[in-house]
Amino acid sequence: MLSINPLNSITLCRSPPFSNGTRRRIHFSSVSRWRRVQTKAVVSGGDNGGQIKTTTTTTKTSALLDTSDSNEIEVKAMITIRKKMKEKLIDKIEDQWEYFINGVGQGIQIQLISHQIDPVTNSGKSVQSNVRGWIPKPSSVSYIVEYDANFTVPSDFGYPCAILITNLHAKEFYLLEIVIHGFNGEPIFFPANTWIHSHNDNHESRIIFCNQAYLPSQTPAGIKDLRREELLSIRGTGKGERKQHDRIYDYAPYNDLGNPDKDKELVRPILEGVQTPYPRRCRTGRPPTLSDPFSESRIEKPHPVYVPRDETFEEIKQNTFSSGRLKALFHNLIPSLAATLSSSDISFKCFSDIDKLYIDGVLLNVEENKGGINDLLLGKVMNQVLSAGGRLLKYEIPDIIKRDRFSWLRDNEFARQTLAGVNPVNIELLKEFPIQSKLDPAVYGPLESAITKELLEQELGGMSLEKAIEEKRLFIIDYHDILLPFIKKMNSIPGREAYASRTILFNSNSGILRPIAIELSLHQTRTSRRVYTHGHDATTHWIWKLAKAHVCSNDAGIHQLVNHWLRTHACMEPYIIATHRQLSSMHPIYKLLHPHMRYTLEINAIARQNLINGGGIIEASFSPGKYAMELSSAAYKNMWQFDLESLPADLIRRGMAVEDSSMSCGVKLVIDDYPYAADGLLIWSAIKEWVESYVKHFYTDLNSVTTDVELQAWWTEIKTKGHHDKKNEPWWPKLNTKEDLSGILTTMIWVASGQHAAINFGQYPFGGYVPNRPTLMRKLIPQENEPDYENFIQNPQLFFLSSLPTQLQATKVMAVQDTLSTHSADEEYLGQVNLQHNHWINDHEIMKLLNKFSSRLEEIEEIINARNKDTSLKNRNGAGVPPYELLLPTSGPGVTGRGIPNSISI
């Protein structure tokens, strides 16, 4: 029976008997009968069914000898398989057929591979059996079943370290684990959590290793070949189109975003090379487009984009997102919103129009997509109620206005969100004045900003500019250089009007941050740059609101395309591909990283198909439009460095912290009440301590890191293939010591967990109210000599609302933000182990360290909750101020605005 134990009482098998050189010997009088058989395992690729390596192993004949008077012992394998949670009639019929096939021993074949070498074959000793039993044993979970397979093995067989499993059924099945009983009286666990392909799709066996972690040099002799062969199988040959059952990981550039065969307007540049560098994605091998031999043809919704089989969403996640919510969102809901609103795609006329989205809802025209909408699984934020003639879609009130519906209007709330909002990673200390651009002045005009010393000192309450800089009281959010090269192209898109922006903020004596000046630039000329301050009369007050809205729009675009997509999703994908290609599943670093890779390739593939593609949601909803991914590429080219992706290094780079060895995190914040940084450093330190202790446990020798051939190949591949366009950069960390390795791994795990959580799960809570974070602006700020100026003077509220996204644009992006802010019911949070992965490693010391890490995260949750109740921390406490919860480690399902998943899973 499947035993699922709580984390603190996991049953682990003891260390392999050969690990300490001792093993109890069993002596029998008679000699077993043996024959030589050929065993095949996948060696590489499977592009044409796989290249096959044939090895000769030793397998006992089917004649069973009396174990009481022979040198054989009886061994039993318990095979645990997960079925569909919700089965249709056809599934149940197929189950009965599978029971029959297994009953006659023709369904599942398994081979045990010993740690010992057979001297005759020079391969690991092997013994083979078939699953038998007419009816599988039920478990305590209805959709999990167990089968038995019995072996008779020689007493000198050794210790099984690997299993070859062959699926003779016509369809794949999901293998949870195999447990072997009968060796030295203790179970041996072979965690799988993998899809086993049908032999109809690929004739070769799958290799499953036991849960003992081995560095390459420690690999038992009997399974050295299998360790190498598994990696060759996963790497593939780099040729051919991938099939859905494949488990092949390889690299390709972002050459699948456009669709030139469909429309010239959907041509998009390939993101690779010197001009448009980008991280690599997972290769699918689809044929090129007819129009461009270098662009890959697209698979359009609702058909899936290839990812390696084990990277696809599991059933709970599919029900929530893939086959249900995400695909229905893109395939049914968005078109229905368009059908309902496009004929009258108008601006919001008054703020009550926006309020109606939460009070009255949108009555959808669902005749054409009736089935799809009815099947759409919506969570807490978007509630459906039946209504005559359609379906009413109501949005949950976002947190930002739930407590105080007018907070978004205030300057202090605008500033607070730079420290505690959904994008708290762009604020920097203003270190030098005057502010200088790094762009080419011959192309982009004067280097010096239009913000003057005199203008700033008018806003500093009598303090000199020099003193404010010296006391670290001035801060900047600078989107000038990243946006100005794109502004002319962006503003050529109908219905888009944007500026390159700089925002100066001042931290007052009372510790309240506020914006004091905004510079908005259009072109190269000095006259195209204007500086705005908050003012006191009605006209300047409304113009200041428009200036802030333009900054928020820029912030929304940079957040989505750079900080969210590029720095977490896109940059994490090469780490995942390299980990599978270069680190055996037995490798301790693979085991450490495995929880942090879950679902990322699948969600990235869905994003390339629906979100960041030409004509997709991001282009339709954010200011950069069709130039969105070019802007993301420019940020990668000019700004991204692996060594600055660690939280302390990023804070120091931005001047938001200084090195301080007396602090537990090694840095001291310049603004103490910086919720993202303060809570983030707690999470970072906990991850760092866990990783350092884990690495120290496995790498005991001085040269153990440099002599680990898999690890060195992994790091080399990340730099030279995964981030090929940056391969020659001097800032890549070295990988020579345990400290080097711990730093690299801590950064990766932080990016996948805490960093992504901080900038993802607040998207709807902060962006669900359009005036707070408009994703695009449709009008420039009117000047006195322009026709629009009089309209602005007569009705500034209407002008402001008409500058925001239209009703269709707003409701589309709100629907996407809701979905992207949602935790699935099967979410795995930092420091937690999936109950089905309890036997992930056979190491009591590591389990103690993991429990310590989990306990520390529980303490951090209490610390964060206490901070949110501290009335002295104005950025997370006060009248109408929402607490900062994005870095609370745990959460329930839905849109909660809290919780740190192990991986980038949405």
Side-chain angles (χ1 to χ4, degrees), residues 697-714:
H697 177 75
F698 286 103
Y699 291 89
T700 56
D701 299 333
L702 185 63
N703 298 321
S704 53
V705 170
T706 55
T707 57
D708 185 335
V709 292
E710 288 182 5
L711 187 71
Q712 293 297 325
W714 167 78

Side-chain angles (χ1 to χ4, degrees), residues 753-771:
S753 57
Q755 179 72 357
H756 180 258
I759 59 179
N760 180 73
F761 292 104
Q763 289 193 73
Y764 187 83
F766 286 97
Y769 187 67
V770 179

Side-chain angles (χ1 to χ4, degrees), residues 255 260-261 270 286-297:
N255 63 347
D261 289 348
I270 297 170
R286 295 193 303 268
T289 61
L290 299 175
S291 307
D292 179 5
F294 299 104
S295 293
E296 188 173 271
S297 58

Side-chain angles (χ1 to χ4, degrees), residues 499-526:
Y499 300 94
S501 63
R502 290 187 179 105
T503 305
I504 307 298
L505 303 102
F506 176 63
N507 197 22
S508 67
N509 289 327
S510 59
I512 300 300
L513 192 69
R514 63 182 178 87
I516 59 173
I518 294 173
E519 179 186 30
L520 300 178
S521 303
L522 282 174
H523 305 300
Q524 298 96 321
T525 61
R526 191 177 296 274

Side-chain angles (χ1 to χ4, degrees), residues 629-646:
M629 291 303 291
E630 289 182 59
L631 189 151
S632 188
S633 170
Y636 179 68
K637 178 180 181 179
N638 299 317
M639 299 165 55
W640 188 85
Q641 289 188 204
F642 181 89
D643 62 327
L644 297 180
E645 290 302 292
S646 80

Side-chain angles (χ1 to χ4, degrees), residues 254 257 268 271 277-279 422-423 425-426 479 482-483 486 490 493 496 552-571 607-608 610-614 616-637 639-640 645 756 759-760 763 773 775-776 813 817 820:
Y254 277 67
L257 300 178
R268 296 294 181 270
L271 301 185
Y278 217 63
V422 71
N423 188 41
V425 296
N426 279 107
Y479 296 141
I482 190 172
L483 287 178
F486 292 92
M490 288 164 54
I493 301 172
R496 307 288 170 94
C552 288
S553 173
N554 289 345
D555 192 72
I558 298 299
H559 163 259
Q560 197 66 261
L561 295 166
V562 179
N563 299 325
H564 182 209
W565 173 257
L566 169 64
R567 294 177 61 189
T568 62
H569 284 261
C571 286
R608 293 199 312 274
N610 300 289
L611 280 176
I612 62 171
N613 60 300
I617 300 298
I618 296 298
E619 289 192 359
S621 305
F622 288 81
S623 288
K626 62 187 289 186
Y627 306 102
M629 291 303 291
E630 289 182 59
L631 189 151
S632 188
S633 170
Y636 179 68
K637 178 180 181 179
M639 299 165 55
W640 188 85
E645 290 302 292
H756 180 258
I759 59 179
N760 180 73
Q763 289 193 73
R773 279 182 75 77
T775 56
L776 60 82
V813 79
Q817 287 173 332
L820 298 182

Side-chain angles (χ1 to χ4, degrees), residues 455-464 473 506 509 514 516:
L455 185 145
L456 290 181
E457 288 187 336
Q458 291 176 15
E459 306 295 329
L460 297 181
M463 180 180 288
S464 71
R473 303 275 288 277
F506 176 63
N509 289 327
R514 63 182 178 87
I516 59 173

